[in-house]
Amino acid sequence: MKKLFAFLASALMVLSLAACSNNGGGNNDTPTDNGGANTDKKVYNIGVSIYKFDDNFMTLYRKEIESYFKTLNTDEVEYQVTIQDGKGDMAEQTNQIDNFIAQDYDALIINLVQATSAATVIDKCEAANKPCIFINREPSEEDMKKFPGMITYVGADARQSGKYQGELIADLPNNGDLNGDGILQYVMVVGDPENVDAKYRTEFSISQYEAVSGLKVEKLDEQRGDWDQAKGQEIVANALTQYGDKIEAVFCNNDAMALGAAQAITAAGRKVGEDIYLVGVDALAEAVDLVSTGGMTGTVLNDHINQSHQAVDCAVMAVKGDKLDPYYWIDYIKVTPENVDKYK
Ligand code: GAL
């Protein structure tokens, strides 16, 4: 019975994908003829799967993928883009990938739910000779050696964002050391431990702080907030209750959690810039506003515009038969009260 349900579910999935992609599939050599007025028009089907739609930063990213693809449509070429929600579930995302391949899509853009599943995804792509562009969640270096020319990772080096966070605090006139004891007492709010962005930001923010300030650090608390604003608020509210004035700085692996932290800090009657410091990553519009009004010490621009455009450009290269480099890197940029106006 279970098997019958599973079969029906995947059959439905294939049907719904087919409905989204009304020109059916295509491949590198023979892009689909759209059967419309211009019979020479090449139609490429691009399958995109985002680890979950309910993520502030990846929402901006996916919308930019969609709108940038639209700007590339001409009388001769059309990109039909199907974007699916991985819902934070690797099994669900694997199904989506299987269906993109079964439907003979021309290229895949994948924001993995689990970076450790890259090898399996690459093997599937290789067996079907489909190019795959990984975004945002970096697979291991070893996995990236598979299927050369046909797979790539487009992203930003998370070590850089971590270092910039450390510098945002270390470069303050008092190095963030409000109580002058030569030690920065801090709280770390982590994205999710499986993600290299979270791992590197957690590690490099602190090592760079120590290197630049020459001071020591004391970690009061480190909790997992899953990139989520409500969780960020809860974690920092609890830390403030427990450690009170001892906390000098709050490092959040992203802005959504920093926005939650900012709420908790205000609710506890503390004031960023006066008796506590707060940094995030992404440069979400609300965080940029807080940096300019003093509600956050700083953030780091995670450039979703250039990352999404690069990912799309890679898909375009791949469907035209060009070989892809293994990596395409986009720089992070430090956002401080001094330069914040540029990012509004
Ligand atoms: C990070 C970003 C986070 C979250 C995460 C998802 O690069 O800073 O806000 O979107 O990716 O993997």
Side-chain angles (χ1 to χ4, degrees), residues 51 55-58 111 136-137 192 195 197 201 227 253-256 281-282 302 332:
Y51 93 101
D55 175 298
N56 302 43
F57 173 73
M58 286 314 301
N111 173 207
N136 176 255
R137 297 186 148 195
D192 66 291
N195 187 312
D197 286 6
R201 287 175 193 164
W227 309 111
N253 282 174
N254 77 345
D255 278 349
V281 176
D282 282 340
N302 193 359
Y332 283 105

